[in-house]
Amino acid sequence: MPEHADKKKRLSVYLDPDLMLLLADYADRRGKSRSLVAEAAIASFLTPDADERQEAAMTRRLDRIDRTIKRLERDNGIANEAFAIFMRSWLTATPAPPDAAAQAQGGERYDRFLEALGRRLVRGPRLRQEVPGDSDRA
């Protein structure tokens, strides 16, 4: 019986045990067969434009990192400005404590502030979610 041109051919290869574990883990995580993953890897390796695809993938990753850094810079700027406005308002509206009892009360108020900040950081919402202007926020 003649073989069909589109029928796959069998290839036996020996892999280093660590490489075999990586292959098995990758295939299991993707829900694909080891054979399919190995075939795709070999095809990618032998394809003339593999370097261009790798470069394109790297460029996409770098672009994503760049966008993330820009968002972080924006968020950090918002936080700095909000803190500066708060401090200016607080220092303008709050008189200096005249005695030790008032200073102790200030310490207690500061502790409550830290507790409230901690709760907000854990539960949200984040300030960046309340500030309009960035459509691709995370």
Side-chain angles (χ1 to χ4, degrees):
M1 176 163 22
E3 287 190 46
H4 296 286
D6 60 345
K7 185 174 178 178
K8 292 187 176 187
K9 307 285 184 184
R10 181 177 178 90
L11 171 69
S12 295
V13 293
Y14 295 95
L15 297 177
D16 181 87
D18 291 337
L19 185 56
M20 186 62 167
L21 286 174
L22 288 172
L23 174 64
D25 182 56
Y26 186 87
D28 291 345
R29 282 186 286 125
R30 299 292 191 280
K32 306 290 182 188
S33 71
R34 294 174 191 175
S35 179
L36 182 66
V37 173
E39 180 181 5
I42 292 169
S44 177
F45 184 79
L46 296 176
T47 303
D49 66 340
D51 289 338
E52 289 84 10
R53 282 199 319 245
Q54 281 183 324
E55 184 177 340
M58 185 69 71
T59 300
R60 284 191 303 274
R61 288 182 194 122
L62 289 173
D63 287 344
R64 190 170 45 245
I65 290 169
D66 184 56
R67 286 191 307 272
T68 300
I69 288 172
K70 286 179 181 175
R71 258 194 318 271
L72 288 171
E73 288 174 343
R74 176 188 174 273
D75 293 349
N76 191 38
I78 290 171
N80 287 341
E81 289 301 317
F83 184 69
I85 291 169
F86 168 77
M87 288 305 300
R88 180 175 290 133
S89 299
W90 184 82
L91 291 171
T92 302
T94 306
D99 59 10
Q103 290 177 357
Q105 185 181 23
E108 292 171 11
R109 291 172 66 190
Y110 180 72
D111 291 341
R112 286 196 305 270
F113 164 76
L114 290 179
E115 289 172 11
L117 177 62
R119 282 192 305 273
R120 183 163 173 125
L121 289 174
V122 170
R123 296 185 196 125
R126 298 281 196 248
L127 178 63
R128 69 172 180 241
Q129 295 166 328
E130 296 176 2
V131 177
D134 191 1
S135 61
D136 64 342
R137 281 182 278 185

